[in-house]
Amino acid sequence: MKILLIGGGGREHAIAASIVKSKRCEKLYCAPGNAGIAEIAECVPIGVMDFDAQAAFAKEHGIDLVVCSQDDPLCAGLVDSLEAKGLRVFGTRKNAAIIEGSKAFSKNLMKKYGIPTAEYEIFTEPDKAIEYLETQAKFPIVLKADGLALGKGVLICNDLDEAKAGVKTIMEDKKFGSAGNEMVIEEFMTGREVSALAFVDGKTYRLMSSSQDHKRAGDGDTGLNTGGMGTFSPSPFYTPEVDKLCRERIYQKTVDAMAAEGRPFKGVLYFGLMLTQDGPKVVEYNTRFGDPETQVVLPRMKTDILDVFDACLDGRLDEVNLEFEDNAAVCVVLASDGYPVKYEKGKIITGLENFRGRDDYFCFHAGTKFDENGNVVTNGGRVLGVTAKGRTLVEARKKAYEAAEWVHFDNKYMRHDIGKAIDEA
Ligand code: AMP
Ligand code: GLY
């Protein structure tokens, strides 16, 4: 098969690594890719939102399958656009990607179909939101811009003043753009968070191994929310009991709900779960692989990813037995100091060769590129995802932190407590 992968982050590097492992992969292209992906695929300078150029490239190069797992292009209709030109695409169509693209949609879906989630109200006018906060809210409370906001449109407010300021930020100042035309105000939940990713073919789902992200920038879960500073898989908190409850109350119900709404879901469905005292509840849905969850989940997947993609597209997922290695993986993100606010780019990265030929170690590139002299340089807030596999989570974490020292660049920053929760399990 000739494959075109859309995107250029750490998640795409991990997906690319899985694709080239398949015997069925003859040639992989990536648009636009990055300096790491360039080692295993041919990168082409086409942007993720340039559907016409993607389609033209795919036609010209005889692409058998296009793969996309990024929220913006999926919510904007990448799959629909390329399918209309006769291409085969693994990803979620626009009418189903709304499960991530609109929090109001996903909350209403859960309410209608009895899927456990935080209590909520939806507002389109700031005055009504403030009135609600003044009269009925319990604090802390959670404010969410309705639309896509790079994972930053969620505000946890400890008191009325903070919440009022939050309404202004989202609905009046439009800090997250049109994502803030509508807003969800919801109950604050407490508990462990788990990411559960599933392949879905419209009716059947197959769950991948569980994982946990670390969203805050600083050690001890302090500082600002980021795209994710590190992950581990599996989550020891995702016990067989939790799994049973999620299967009964959440996964199939969501897949069936989307089908019943005339929005059959195909692709990867990400369940962001909170394990509360009242059982698992959905924090959010995403319509794609998580980033950096993918960097610990896919290296452990034994099943050929192209077979799984095909089964999803052909509605044959019930025939697939999805298998994972009986081990663990930890990913430590190496970021540019100052991320997620302000940071410098263009720093030369050294030591990448240390990962060559070591089966248990991966250095996924998130924000890198080649400079004019052919050096690999930093090109984003999150730069690299250093993943190691081990027999246990403790061993994987030790190896990941050792490997994090193999690479160097000025202003390298990382959290030192990725996977620390393992010790409490
Ligand atoms: P989201 O973009 O919806 O995943 O929210 C980002 C993060 O905010 C989540 O991973 C949680 O850590 C936190 N969060 C979102 N909703 C809630 C909630 N209702 N209660 C507590 N924390 C939340
Ligand atoms: N790691 C969180 C996400 O991919 O949304």
Side-chain angles (χ1 to χ4, degrees):
M1 285 168 79
K2 290 189 183 136
I3 299 142
L4 171 63
L5 172 64
I6 307 295
R11 166 183 53 210
E12 282 72 26
H13 195 177
I15 296 170
S18 276
I19 290 175
V20 296
K21 253 185 5 195
S22 170
K23 283 191 209 66
R24 297 173 60 210
C25 174
E26 180 195 328
K27 171 92 185 172
L28 176 64
Y29 297 94
C30 189
N34 64 35
I37 295 173
E39 287 195 14
I40 54 175
E42 185 176 328
C43 294
V44 288
I46 299 174
V48 295
M49 301 302 275
D50 196 348
F51 306 158
D52 287 342
Q54 292 159 6
F57 179 90
K59 288 273 176 195
E60 199 178 312
H61 291 81
I63 296 296
D64 301 295
L65 178 69
V66 180
V67 178
C68 177
S69 200
Q70 186 172 324
D71 48 3
D72 293 338
L74 291 175
C75 290
L78 176 141
V79 175
D80 310 66
S81 173
L82 272 61
E83 280 183 345
K85 296 195 169 134
L87 293 159
R88 188 168 159 87
V89 192
F90 179 82
T92 310
R93 289 187 189 146
K94 184 176 179 177
N95 75 345
I98 191 173
I99 199 168
E100 173 169 5
S102 167
K103 294 203 192 280
F105 171 86
S106 69
K107 294 299 290 190
N108 287 338
L109 185 86
M110 289 187 268
K111 186 188 249 176
K112 180 168 173 189
Y113 292 91
I115 298 163
T117 188
E119 295 292 329
Y120 71 100
E121 296 288 335
I122 294 171
F123 297 92
T124 47
E125 289 162 43
D127 294 352
K128 293 265 162 54
I130 302 246
E131 187 188 314
Y132 172 83
L133 288 166
E134 284 176 338
T135 54
Q136 301 188 47
K138 281 198 227 108
F139 296 93
I141 200 155
V142 185
L143 271 46
K144 298 186 173 185
D146 173 61
L148 295 178
L150 296 167
K152 297 184 179 87
V154 174
L155 305 176
I156 294 173
C157 304
N158 290 309
D159 55 39
L160 184 60
D161 285 345
E162 269 182 47
K164 280 181 167 170
V167 173
K168 184 167 181 296
T169 306
I170 293 176
M171 298 195 92
E172 287 173 358
D173 303 346
K174 293 273 159 79
K175 178 153 177 225
F176 310 108
S178 59
N181 291 348
E182 233 176 315
M183 192 178 73
V184 174
I185 299 188
E186 70 175 32
E187 166 206 3
F188 178 76
M189 302 185 285
T190 50
R192 291 258 170 224
E193 284 187 63
V194 176
S195 304
L197 281 61
F199 292 103
V200 185
D201 72 356
K203 30 184 214 301
T204 302
Y205 74 90
R206 285 289 178 266
L207 199 69
M208 296 178 229
S209 187
S210 63
S211 56
Q212 185 180 320
D213 190 8
H214 298 64
K215 289 204 167 89
R216 307 289 284 275
D219 285 3
D221 289 328
T222 54
L224 294 172
N225 259 325
T226 70
M229 292 300 295
T231 38
F232 58 85
S233 170
S235 165
F237 308 102
Y238 191 81
T239 60
E241 295 76 55
V242 171
D243 181 63
K244 183 166 175 284
L245 290 176
C246 291
R247 285 176 191 274
E248 282 168 10
R249 299 177 184 173
I250 296 174
Y251 303 148
Q252 191 65 51
K253 269 188 165 176
T254 303
V255 174
D256 292 346
M258 290 299 282
E261 293 293 308
R263 300 170 184 273
F265 190 99
K266 280 192 186 194
V268 172
L269 184 51
Y270 168 127
F271 299 87
L273 304 171
M274 181 90 75
L275 309 183
T276 75
Q277 284 205 313
D278 304 326
K281 295 190 182 179
V282 176
V283 180
E284 63 160 346
Y285 293 115
N286 293 323
T287 179
R288 51 176 177 81
F289 282 104
D291 192 352
E293 285 91 336
T294 307
Q295 289 90 308
V296 285
V297 171
L298 284 187
R300 301 182 49 236
M301 191 165 96
K302 291 204 274 191
T303 316
D304 186 315
I305 199 167
L306 294 181
D307 290 346
V308 185
F309 288 165
D310 273 339
C312 284
L313 289 173
D314 298 338
R316 293 184 287 101
L317 203 52
D318 55 345
E319 296 168 13
V320 170
N321 178 22
L322 202 60
E323 287 188 298
F324 284 79
E325 293 169 1
D326 182 18
N327 58 9
V330 171
C331 172
V332 177
V333 169
L334 306 184
S336 305
D337 196 13
Y339 172 71
V341 184
K342 193 165 173 270
Y343 47 85
E344 291 173 17
K345 300 195 255 189
K347 310 288 183 195
I348 292 179
I349 305 171
T350 57
L352 293 167
E353 67 285 356
N354 290 314
F355 288 85
R356 295 227 171 89
R358 299 209 208 207
D359 282 349
D360 283 357
Y361 297 89
F362 306 82
C363 187
F364 296 119
H365 291 227
T368 68
K369 64 170 193 180
F370 293 107
D371 70 7
E372 56 279 13
N373 303 315
N375 299 307
V376 180
V377 297
T378 66
N379 189 38
R382 290 189 293 177
V383 177
L384 301 166
V386 173
T387 295
K389 293 199 280 192
R391 277 163 303 170
T392 63
L393 282 164
V394 171
E395 186 184 288
R397 178 177 54 180
K398 184 166 172 287
K399 288 165 73 173
Y401 272 108
E402 277 165 14
E405 298 302 332
W406 298 346
V407 249
H408 301 280
F409 51 90
D410 283 352
N411 79 349
K412 173 176 140 185
Y413 171 82
M414 67 180 142
R415 273 183 64 162
H416 296 89
D417 60 349
I418 302 302
K420 189 156 179 277
I422 298 162
D423 302 332
E424 295 154 30

